[in-house]
Amino acid sequence: GENVEQHPSTLSVQEGDSAVIKCTYSDSASNYFPWYKQELGKRPQLIIDIRSNVGEKKDQRIAVTLNKTAKHFSLHITETQPEDSAVYFCAASVFGNEKLTFGTGTRLTIIP
Amino acid sequence: GAVVSQHPSWVICKSGTSVKIECRSLDFQATTMFWYRQFPKQSLMLMATSNEGSKATYEQGVEKDKFLINHASLTLSTLTVTSAHPEDSSFYICSAKTGNNYEQYFGPGTRLTVT
C-alpha cells in the first residue's frame, strides 16, 4: 500500500518568514495530493491540493509543488502569520481507489 | 456547501459498553464515507471505507466485529464501537465524498473516552 513520509515533524519560524514542509510517497500511481491544516481538537481543513497533471499550484500565500519523478511534494507558506500555527498533514491517494494515506504531520509554530 | 456533521461531539462511556457515532452529510449525497481514528499527537489512520448499501471495507488490523460500520443511506453512516475498552479512547473522524470528486469533506470529530 501507499506510504507517505513527512518532514519535519516540528517547525518554528519567525513571523513573516517562509515555511516549507516536504512529503514523499511510495505509490507511483498516486495522483491526488491534498494538504490539511488541523487545529487542536478540530477537523482537518483542506488548504490546497494538487493533481498529478500539474507541477505547481498557488493560492495567495500558500503553494504546493509536485515532482512526480522523485515522488515528492512540498507545501510552501510565505509571509507567515501567527494564525498559521497548527499541525499540517500531507496526504496522497489514487483516484478511483479513494483512500487517503496521511503523512505523520508537522507542527508549525509561528514566533511573533 | 459540502458540510459533514458528527454526533456526538464527545462521549464518555464505561468499559464493556457500546457507543454509536453518527456521521451525516448535510447538503450532498455521500456515495462513500470514511472513518478515521486519531490518537493524541498522531496522524489520521483510516479504519474503514463504506459505500452506501454495501459492506464496509476495513483496513488491515481493524477488527470488523469491534468497529461496526453501517452506511444505510447516502447521507448517514454510523460507527459502533462494541465492548469498548480504555485503549479505544481516541478522536474518531468521518469524511465523505461524492461521485467522482477527489475531495473528502471531514466531520468535526467525536472524542471518545472509555473509563
Side-chain angles (χ1 to χ4, degrees):
Chain A
E2 175 68 278
N3 181 50
V4 178
E5 294 188 357
Q6 182 172 346
H7 299 281
S9 57
T10 61
L11 179 62
S12 295
V13 300
Q14 290 290 141
E15 181 178 355
D17 288 351
S18 296
V20 180
I21 302 171
K22 299 181 178 182
C23 289
T24 60
Y25 61 98
S26 61
D27 189 347
S28 57
S30 289
N31 55 7
Y32 176 60
F33 308 93
W35 285 90
Y36 296 90
K37 175 184 181 182
Q38 187 181 32
E39 297 177 354
L40 189 62
K42 305 287 188 181
R43 77 185 84 196
Q45 175 191 358
L46 178 69
I47 56 173
I48 197 167
D49 57 12
I50 192 167
R51 302 178 192 180
S52 61
N53 57 343
V54 298
E56 184 173 357
K57 183 177 178 181
K58 189 174 182 179
D59 182 5
Q60 299 184 342
R61 298 187 296 110
I62 295 173
V64 57
T65 58
L66 171 65
N67 184 327
K68 283 220 75 178
T69 303
K71 290 191 281 188
H72 66 71
F73 55 113
S74 301
L75 176 71
H76 305 254
I77 306 174
T78 59
E79 301 172 18
T80 53
Q81 301 167 2
E83 52 265 37
D84 294 330
S85 294
V87 179
Y88 291 80
F89 293 99
C90 62
S93 75
V94 178
F95 184 69
N97 186 338
E98 301 180 326
K99 298 194 314 182
L100 277 175
T101 301
F102 282 82
T104 48
T106 296
R107 181 170 300 278
L108 175 63
T109 302
I110 306 302
I111 305 167
Chain B
V3 178
V4 176
S5 69
Q6 274 184 249
H7 178 80
S9 55
W10 59 271
V11 58
I12 301 172
C13 71
K14 292 186 181 297
S15 186
T17 62
S18 296
V19 175
K20 180 184 284 188
I21 302 169
E22 292 186 349
C23 176
R24 293 183 185 272
S25 57
L26 300 184
D27 53 0
F28 67 101
Q29 293 187 325
T31 50
T32 307
M33 286 185 167
F34 306 86
W35 287 95
Y36 297 86
R37 181 167 51 182
Q38 185 177 32
F39 292 110
K41 297 187 177 181
Q42 293 189 23
S43 186
L44 284 80
M45 298 299 295
L46 180 65
M47 299 176 67
T49 303
S50 73
N51 293 293
E52 184 263 341
S54 303
K55 287 185 177 180
T57 301
Y58 291 80
E59 294 300 299
Q60 190 172 8
V62 178
E63 302 174 57
K64 60 182 66 177
D65 293 332
K66 180 171 181 60
F67 299 98
L68 302 178
I69 292 172
N70 184 285
H71 191 165
S73 76
L74 285 171
T75 60
L76 173 65
S77 177
T78 59
L79 167 67
T80 301
V81 183
T82 63
S83 186
H85 291 284
E87 55 266 32
D88 298 324
S89 298
S90 187
F91 193 48
Y92 292 86
I93 308 174
C94 72
S95 70
K97 68 184 293 290
T98 182
N100 291 326
N101 291 338
Y102 283 83
E103 187 174 353
Q104 292 185 21
Y105 303 98
F106 285 85
T110 297
R111 174 128 350 250
L112 169 64
T113 301
V114 184
T115 61

